[in-house]
Amino acid sequence: MRLSRYFLPVLKETPSEAQIVSHRLMLRAGMIKQASAGIYSWLPLGYKVLQKIERIVHEEQARAGHLAMLMPTIQSADLWRESGRYDAYGAEMLRITDRHDRDMLFTPTAEELITDIFRAHVTSYRDLPLTMYQIQWKFRDEIRPRFGVMRGREFYMKDGYNFDLTKEDALHAYNRHLVSYLRTYERMGLQAIPMRADSGPIGGDDTHEFLVLADTGESKVFYDSEITDLRFGDRDIDYDSHEQCRAVLDEFTSRYARTDETHDPELFGKIPEERQRMARGIEVGQIFYFGTKYSEAMGAYVNDHDGNRVPVHMGSHGIGVSRLVGAIIEACHDDNGIIWPEGVTPFHVGIVNLKQGDASCDTACEDLYEALAAAGLEPLYDDREERAGAKFATMDLIGLPWRITVGPRGLANGKVELTSRRNGESEEMSLEAAVARVSEIYGV
Ligand code: ATP
Ligand code: MG
């Protein structure tokens, strides 16, 4: 992409309405624009990051064997009356009446609709286990939408649902999700710690929230500092293996880590004092096992091996896809702007032309642009007639992890400069070497 042809409405001033750094930076970097309270348009740069996150979620769901699908945002109230949640959900549910006076709603989550699909088509244990998920817009009429996309009213969420014959199988689905979520967040450059939590309106006994530690987080958390040393890394896990998934769960949830809803001061007190941590966290996902709550209420039964009709065991699992954009920025920024992890960066590398209009600089930039694109990378070429300082400031603000600077002095020696946004370190090298290095970084 050439910046001269892109839509990047960066703001010079710090927007006064934004209280936290991710919200400020998303507005300043021209990623989003508020449409109304808690509802945002995603401008091209923001949308690209959202799509990168979405793609990682899809890839990791596929790896775990889960099936992608899509359900409507507008749903009939009748289904929600069956489960009893139409009344229970309260003011957070956006209720709509259509022209025939039928009660509709904008989906805040989709346990009812997926259960309705299930009960219409699945009648035998032979069709189990089954896990389907979607990535779809949700609406919750939050009383205090704030912090930009972190607590919106409309937000983008991955929601998945498992159907299993037995509790044991459903708990395996739970563990499998925990494993796949660990991998998902790490690919985005985040450490999200699973913490025992409270189930809220979804219901059920077993639930973990995934929290990214950040001072601006809305949740208060208590944990054993040793937990932050754990990394999932590049493990090759067989997602069908109960033992392997269980072992990962044990490893990542055996040390104390809880939100304030489930905090147990006595148990916490048993951790050596120097390891006791109290902090704040951003909830970026949650997994639930809720047994037969919905299947019994809504009649989702299957025939088991002996021909008995039994309610299926279910769970649901959510990832805050749009919230993650803010959470990643909270975790990855400095005074000059965003620092995207490679996994989610909107463009892989920026090209800064220090002397636009100079024939050799222009040619070198065009060559670089083409070579990077041919390698399968997406460069953002700042080809505007702008001062070098302004170009650097824009690149720093929008946070591409790598920058190639092209100027007449370096080019006289056949060199360009490759700079890391993370630590500011620069290295001079030939054009070809720069392309090779960036390709290597991204594994293309
Ligand atoms: P919270 O406690 O933050 O209100 P929740 O527990 O009600 O969230 P879930 O039902 O667990 O949310 O939804 C799954 C994920 O969707 C959450 O972990 C969070 O990342 C995201 N999410 C929930 N509410 C919002 C919101 N208002 N804006 C953006 N993302 C949200
Ligand atoms: Mg939650």
Side-chain angles (χ1 to χ4, degrees), residues 209 283 285-286 288:
E209 284 178 357
E283 181 194 330
Q286 187 163 9
F288 302 86

Side-chain angles (χ1 to χ4, degrees), residues 140 157 197-202 207-210 261 283-288 318 323:
R140 295 183 189 170
M157 175 174 139
D198 188 56
S199 64
I202 310 265
T207 181
H208 279 90
E209 284 178 357
F210 289 76
E261 295 151 346
E283 181 194 330
V284 292
Q286 187 163 9
I287 56 177
F288 302 86
R323 177 180 287 181

Side-chain angles (χ1 to χ4, degrees), residues 36-39 73 89 91-95 105-109 136-142 152-156:
S36 53
I39 303 179
T73 53
Y89 222 98
E92 266 195 22
M93 180 181 276
L94 180 64
R95 296 155 207 262
L105 55 93
F106 197 112
T107 177
T109 168
Q136 176 63 296
W137 292 95
K138 303 291 183 303
F139 197 95
R140 295 183 189 170
D141 205 350
E142 300 275 355
R153 293 198 295 164
E154 190 187 49
F155 60 98
Y156 205 37

Side-chain angles (χ1 to χ4, degrees), residues 114-307:
I114 192 92
T115 306
D116 183 53
I117 294 167
F118 180 90
R119 70 182 173 186
H121 298 289
V122 180
T123 53
S124 163
Y125 73 91
R126 286 192 201 85
D127 296 324
L128 304 181
L130 176 66
T131 298
M132 296 194 277
Y133 77 95
Q134 64 172 349
I135 302 180
Q136 176 63 296
W137 292 95
K138 303 291 183 303
F139 197 95
R140 295 183 189 170
D141 205 350
E142 300 275 355
I143 190 159
R144 268 213 306 157
R146 57 183 182 153
F147 301 160
V149 301
M150 296 261 258
R151 182 162 299 284
R153 293 198 295 164
E154 190 187 49
F155 60 98
Y156 205 37
M157 175 174 139
K158 173 263 171 180
D159 46 321
Y161 307 87
N162 69 285
F163 299 89
D164 287 278
L165 182 62
T166 62
K167 177 170 182 179
E168 192 202 330
D169 289 349
L171 289 177
H172 169 59
Y174 185 90
N175 301 347
R176 190 176 67 230
H177 278 85
L178 186 127
V179 176
S180 80
Y181 278 24
L182 288 171
R183 216 187 143 94
T184 301
Y185 297 119
E186 277 197 14
R187 279 190 61 188
M188 297 173 189
L190 283 180
Q191 179 172 39
I193 303 170
M195 301 201 182
R196 183 155 290 287
D198 188 56
S199 64
I202 310 265
D205 310 325
D206 269 311
T207 181
H208 279 90
E209 284 178 357
F210 289 76
L211 288 117
V212 173
L213 298 175
D215 294 340
T216 49
E218 291 183 286
S219 315
K220 201 169 180 189
V221 298
F222 300 83
Y223 62 96
D224 177 339
S225 65
E226 284 196 340
I227 205 142
T228 57
D229 298 334
L230 298 174
R231 296 288 177 278
F232 185 77
D234 201 21
R235 305 178 195 201
D236 190 14
I237 297 283
D238 174 1
Y239 282 97
D240 288 333
S241 160
H242 288 220
E243 294 70 32
Q244 288 187 26
C245 291
R246 176 80 222 182
V248 173
L249 176 118
D250 285 344
E251 180 185 344
F252 280 81
T253 62
S254 55
R255 292 174 189 76
Y256 191 94
R258 295 192 182 190
T259 64
D260 56 355
E261 295 151 346
T262 57
H263 179 51
D264 177 343
E266 210 176 303
L267 209 57
F268 187 63
K270 295 196 174 128
I271 305 167
E273 213 173 312
E274 67 278 11
R275 287 182 8 216
Q276 292 177 12
R277 295 283 187 282
M278 237 173 69
R280 304 200 73 84
I282 302 168
E283 181 194 330
V284 292
Q286 187 163 9
I287 56 177
F288 302 86
Y289 163 70
F290 45 68
T292 56
K293 172 179 159 148
Y294 293 91
S295 51
E296 285 193 57
M298 296 183 62
Y301 286 71
V302 294
N303 292 324
D304 69 8
H305 301 78
D306 304 319

